[in-house]
Amino acid sequence: MVEFAMHNAWLVPLLPAVAFLIIVFLTRPWQKLSSLVCIAGMLGAFYFAALAAYGVFTNEEFTKNSLTYATRWFSMPGLQIDMGIQLDPVSAMMMFMVSLVSSLIFIYATGYMKGDPGYSTFFAYVSLFGASMLGLVLSSNLLQMFIFWELVGLCSYLLIGFFTHKISAREAAKKAFVTCRVADFGLLLGLLSIQIVFGTLNINELSQIIPNFREYTTEGILVLIAVLVFIGPIAKSGQFPLHVWLPDAMEGPTPVSALIHAATMVVAGVYLIGRTMFLFEHVPSVMHLVAVTGAFTALFAATIAVTQREIKKILAYSTVSQLGYMMLALGVGSLTASMFHLWTHAFFKALMFMGAGSVLVALHHKADVWEMGGLVKKMPITAWTFVIGGLAIAGIPPFAGFWSKDEILAVTLSGGHPILFAMAAFTAFLTAFYMWRLIFLAFFGEEKPENHAKESPWNMTIPLIILAIFATVGGLVGTPWNNLWAEWITFSGVHIHPHHGDPNYVVMLGSVVLAVAGIGLAYKLYLQDAQKAKAKELARRYQGLYTLLYNKYYIDEIYLWINHTLVDGSAKMFYLFDLYVVDGIVNGLGAFTKLSGDGLRIFQTGRLQNYVLVFFLGVLVIAVAMAFNNPLPASMVLGGVK
C-alpha cells in the first residue's frame, strides 16, 4: 500500500478537489452531508499522504533523488510543459502536515460554523483551498506551482470575504487579493525570465542547470531573476512591506484564519523560496536581502503585537513575526531550520487560532482580551491547550517551538550575522511577552461577571487536544543530540548544508532565559498586578511610542495616503489630460473638418455654368501669375492673347 501511495500521490490533492465538486453540484442543500464529504476528502488525502511520507522517510535514497512522474500537458516547438508530482522529504513533510492540520481544522469547523446559512459553501471553499495547497506542494515544475499558487490566492479571497454582509470582510478580501496580485506580477516576471534564460521550469532540471548558470546568463541577470521570484513570497508570506493584508484577513471565519495562518497560504512563500534554493544559493546578495527582510519583519511585527487588544489580531501579528523567522533562516542558508520552524509553527499556531475561535464562540465574538479574564475555570480544555501553544511559541523546552527557534538562532549566529541574531533574540523575548500577556489577560485573573462562557463541544476540543500533543512533542525530531530532521529534510540539488553542528548551549540557555524573562514580565504586569496599574502607567508614560505601536506604525494610513493622494491624484490628472488635451485635439480636428466642409459646400451648387466659370477664373489667375514671370507661356494659355 505504501508503494501504491507513493506512485499515486496525485490522489492527495485530487480527493479534496473531488469533495469540492461533490459539494457544489450534489450535496449543497444538505449541510451535514456537505461537511462529511469535505472531511472525508481531506482525511482520505491525509491517509495517502501519511503512507507516501512513510515510504519517503524510510528510504534514504529520496534525500538524494526525488520520485518524480509527469505527463506532457502542452507542447510546441521550443516549449514543452509537463504536469507532474515530485516527492522528496520536504514535499512529503509538507503534504503530511497540510493534510493533517487541514483535517483537524475541518472537523473543528463543523462546530464553529454550526448554524451559518453558508455552511455548505464554506466547506466547498475550504476543500478547494486544501486541494490547491496540496497541489502546490507536490508540483514538479514552477508553472504548475504558480497555477496552484493563484488558486490558493483565489480561495483566500473567497474565504476572507466569506461573511459578505460585513463591509470590513469584503474590504479585507479585496485588500488581500490586490496586495498578493501586485507581488505575484513580480513572481510571474521571474518565472518568465527563468523560462527564457534557462529554457525550462522543471524543478529537477533547473537544479542541475543553474549551478552552471554562467553558460546561460550573467550574474547580474541571475540576481534580477532571484529578486523577482522573491517578490511573490513577500506578499504571500506577509513580509514587510506587503504584510498589511494578513492581519486584516482575520475578518474571515476563525477556521479560515487557522488554515491560512498555520498550515497553508502564508507558508507557501517560505516553501517556494526553499523549493528554489538552488537559485538563491548562487546569489549571496539576494540571500542577504531575504535574511534582512525576515529579521526586520520578525521584530517589526512583534513590537506591534505587544500593544494589540484583539485576540486574533495579536495572533495575526505573531504569525507575521514567525514567518519572518522562517525567512531569516532561509536567508542565512539553513533550509533545515526554516522548514523545521514551519513544521512546529503549523501545530502551535493552528492550536492557538482554534483556541481563540473557541473563546470567541463562548463570548459571542467579544474579541478584546481586556474584556476577558478567568476563562480557565469555565473553559479548561481551551485554556490549557492554549497555554501549551503559548509555551511552544515562547520557546520553553521541551515544547516544539523551542527546538526550531533555537535552531534558527544558532544558525544565524554561527553564520556570522550578529546583528540579525540580536534582532531575532530580542524578538524571542517580545514573543514570549505578548503571547503570555494575552494568556494572562484572557484565561487567568479575575472573572468578568458579564461573561457567561462555557466549554466548546467535543468536535472543537478534540482537534485542540491533538494539536496540543503535536505542539508538545513535534519538535523532538530535531533536537541537537538526535537531529533526525536535519538528516531527512533536504532538497535534491541544493548544496547548502543543514545545521549539523554540536549543541550551542550558550544560545540554548540564552533563548530560554529570554523566554522566561518575557513570561515573567507579562506575569508581573498583567497577572500579579490585578489592577494592571503598572501596565497602564507604562502606556501613559510612553504614550507616543504606545500610540505608534498600537496604530501599527501607521503603515495602513501611509498606504491609504499614497492610494488617495498619489494614485487617485495621478488618475485625476490623467483623466483631465485625456478630457481636455487628447479629446480636445480629436474634437478640434473634427470641428475643423466640419467647418471646412460647411465652407466648401458653398461651391458645390450642382450648376455646370458655375463650375465652368470657376474653372475659367482659375485658369485666368494662373495665367496672370505666370505672365508676371514669363509672358510667352501665359499667351499660349490664353489662346494667343497678348
Side-chain angles (χ1 to χ4, degrees):
M1 196 63 188
V2 172
E3 195 75 15
F4 175 83
M6 291 178 66
H7 288 89
N8 295 277
W10 49 271
L11 287 170
V12 175
L14 182 67
L15 289 175
V18 170
F20 163 74
L21 295 174
I22 292 174
I23 296 170
V24 169
F25 293 108
L26 297 176
T27 66
R28 192 175 174 188
W30 301 282
Q31 294 188 344
K32 286 188 176 179
L33 184 58
S34 295
S35 61
L36 283 175
V37 169
C38 173
I39 293 168
M42 190 51 74
L43 283 176
F46 171 65
Y47 174 70
F48 285 108
L51 289 175
Y54 176 80
V56 170
F57 291 129
T58 52
N59 190 338
E60 193 177 351
E61 175 62 23
F62 290 117
T63 60
K64 301 172 185 174
N65 299 301
S66 61
L67 172 62
T68 305
Y69 45 92
T71 184
R72 182 60 43 87
W73 176 49
F74 179 78
S75 177
M76 62 179 288
L79 178 63
Q80 289 82 39
I81 299 174
D82 294 336
M83 296 287 281
I85 297 294
Q86 182 164 339
L87 263 183
D88 55 26
V90 175
S91 61
M93 176 276 292
M94 286 289 292
M95 179 176 64
F96 176 83
M97 182 269 289
V98 170
S99 57
L100 171 61
V101 176
S102 297
S103 299
L104 294 172
I105 291 173
F106 291 178
I107 295 169
Y108 171 90
T110 57
Y112 187 89
M113 297 299 292
K114 186 177 181 181
D116 191 280
Y119 191 88
S120 294
T121 305
F122 174 83
F123 281 97
Y125 288 166
V126 293
S127 290
L128 183 61
F129 196 24
S132 304
M133 187 64 197
L134 289 167
L136 185 154
V137 164
L138 291 171
S139 296
S140 63
N141 69 72
L142 295 177
L143 178 61
Q144 182 183 340
M145 186 180 285
F146 184 75
I147 293 170
F148 284 114
W149 176 282
E150 291 301 318
L151 270 175
V152 168
L154 171 64
C155 295
S156 70
Y157 170 77
L158 296 172
L159 288 167
I160 293 169
F162 185 77
F163 295 135
T164 51
H165 60 279
K166 293 171 63 181
I167 295 175
S168 57
R170 298 200 299 265
E171 292 299 317
K174 283 193 292 185
K175 190 175 183 178
F177 192 80
V178 172
T179 306
C180 290
R181 294 296 79 69
V182 169
D184 289 354
F185 182 66
L187 173 60
L188 182 61
L189 291 178
L191 299 185
L192 289 174
S193 302
I194 290 174
Q195 174 65 41
I196 292 169
V197 173
F198 299 107
T200 181
L201 290 172
N202 183 285
I203 293 173
N204 277 339
E205 291 176 5
L206 286 170
S207 68
Q208 301 299 319
I209 292 173
I210 287 182
N212 304 311
F213 71 90
R214 294 185 193 283
E215 297 176 9
Y216 298 85
T217 187
T218 63
E219 186 173 349
I221 295 296
L222 196 69
V223 168
L224 178 62
I225 291 173
V227 170
L228 288 172
V229 171
F230 179 51
I231 289 174
I234 286 178
K236 193 73 90 181
S237 290
Q239 299 298 289
F240 178 86
L242 297 179
H243 65 283
V244 290
W245 69 270
L246 208 150
D248 287 12
M250 297 299 100
E251 291 294 335
T254 297
V256 174
S257 304
L259 200 59
I260 291 178
H261 284 244
T264 56
M265 182 171 171
V266 296
V267 297
V270 176
Y271 182 72
L272 176 64
I273 297 292
R275 218 32 164 168
T276 53
M277 206 64 177
F278 49 76
L279 166 65
F280 286 88
E281 66 177 331
H282 295 286
V283 281
S285 56
V286 184
M287 289 280 283
H288 192 65
L289 173 66
V290 174
V292 171
T293 303
F296 179 78
T297 302
L299 182 57
F300 172 81
T303 56
I304 294 174
V306 166
T307 57
Q308 297 304 301
R309 299 174 65 102
E310 293 184 21
I311 187 168
K312 284 175 66 178
K313 279 285 176 66
I314 297 170
L315 295 177
Y317 279 102
S318 165
T319 300
V320 176
S321 181
Q322 299 303 307
L323 290 167
Y325 266 121
M326 297 174 206
M327 284 293 182
L328 169 63
L330 288 172
V332 299
S334 181
L335 178 70
T336 306
S338 179
M339 292 297 119
F340 192 21
H341 199 57
L342 188 155
W343 163 265
T344 60
H345 178 261
F347 297 122
F348 60 69
K349 188 52 63 70
L351 167 63
M352 286 191 286
F353 265 113
M354 290 157 72
S358 181
V359 170
L360 290 173
V361 170
L363 297 181
H364 306 288
H365 295 275
K366 184 186 287 184
D368 191 340
V369 292
W370 286 82
E371 297 178 5
M372 301 176 188
L375 294 177
V376 68
K377 297 174 184 174
K378 295 179 178 176
M379 306 180 69
I381 298 176
T382 298
W384 289 114
T385 53
F386 201 102
V387 165
I388 290 173
L391 291 169
I393 196 173
I396 298 296
F399 296 93
F402 166 73
W403 306 107
S404 57
K405 193 175 292 185
D406 174 70
E407 184 83 358
I408 292 174
L409 292 172
V411 295
T412 304
L413 186 62
S414 63
H417 305 282
I419 296 175
L420 298 181
F421 171 79
M423 293 169 71
F426 185 54
T427 302
F429 166 76
L430 291 177
T431 302
F433 173 73
Y434 69 69
M435 197 54 71
W436 278 83
R437 165 182 174 266
L438 183 162
I439 291 171
F440 288 137
L441 286 173
F443 296 105
F444 297 95
E446 293 183 6
E447 292 184 56
K448 298 289 189 291
E450 66 273 20
N451 294 335
H452 305 287
K454 63 177 183 179
E455 187 57 275
S456 296
W458 67 269
N459 51 353
M460 294 176 70
T461 52
I462 294 294
L464 295 179
I465 294 169
I466 296 173
L467 286 170
I469 294 170
F470 276 96
T472 304
V473 303
L476 297 179
V477 294
T479 66
W481 304 281
N482 185 25
N483 202 339
L484 295 174
W485 188 268
E487 295 175 9
W488 289 340
I489 303 303
T490 59
F491 282 135
S492 57
V494 176
H495 302 97
I496 292 179
H497 298 293
H499 179 63
H500 285 298
D502 296 328
N504 189 329
Y505 292 106
V506 175
V507 172
M508 205 178 290
L509 181 63
S511 68
V512 174
V513 169
L514 288 170
V516 172
I519 295 172
L521 183 60
Y523 171 81
K524 195 171 181 61
L525 292 177
Y526 298 103
L527 188 60
Q528 189 180 50
D529 181 2
Q531 302 303 317
K532 320 296 189 282
K534 292 177 184 175
K536 293 174 183 174
E537 173 59 25
L538 283 172
R540 277 194 297 271
R541 184 180 300 175
Y542 302 102
Q543 181 68 39
L545 179 61
Y546 180 86
T547 305
L548 179 68
L549 299 180
Y550 183 73
N551 289 290
K552 301 159 282 185
Y553 295 95
Y554 295 99
I555 297 293
D556 284 318
E557 285 75 8
I558 292 171
Y559 279 144
L560 278 177
W561 180 84
I562 291 173
N563 192 34
H564 290 165
T565 306
L566 299 184
V567 178
D568 291 353
S570 302
K572 189 174 182 180
M573 186 180 71
F574 286 122
Y575 169 73
L576 293 175
F577 180 81
D578 177 64
L579 185 65
Y580 293 107
V581 178
V582 177
D583 286 358
I585 292 173
V586 174
N587 293 337
L589 287 173
F592 175 75
T593 304
K594 183 174 183 298
L595 287 173
S596 301
D598 290 343
L600 293 173
R601 192 170 58 185
I602 297 172
F603 301 102
Q604 301 296 320
T605 61
R607 294 180 179 177
L608 184 61
Q609 300 90 328
N610 290 347
Y611 296 154
V612 172
L613 178 61
V614 171
F615 178 76
F616 176 74
L617 290 175
V619 171
L620 183 63
V621 169
I622 293 170
V624 170
M626 293 171 66
F628 282 104
N629 295 321
N630 191 348
L632 183 58
S635 64
M636 293 175 66
V637 171
L638 295 175
V641 178
K642 295 184 180 180

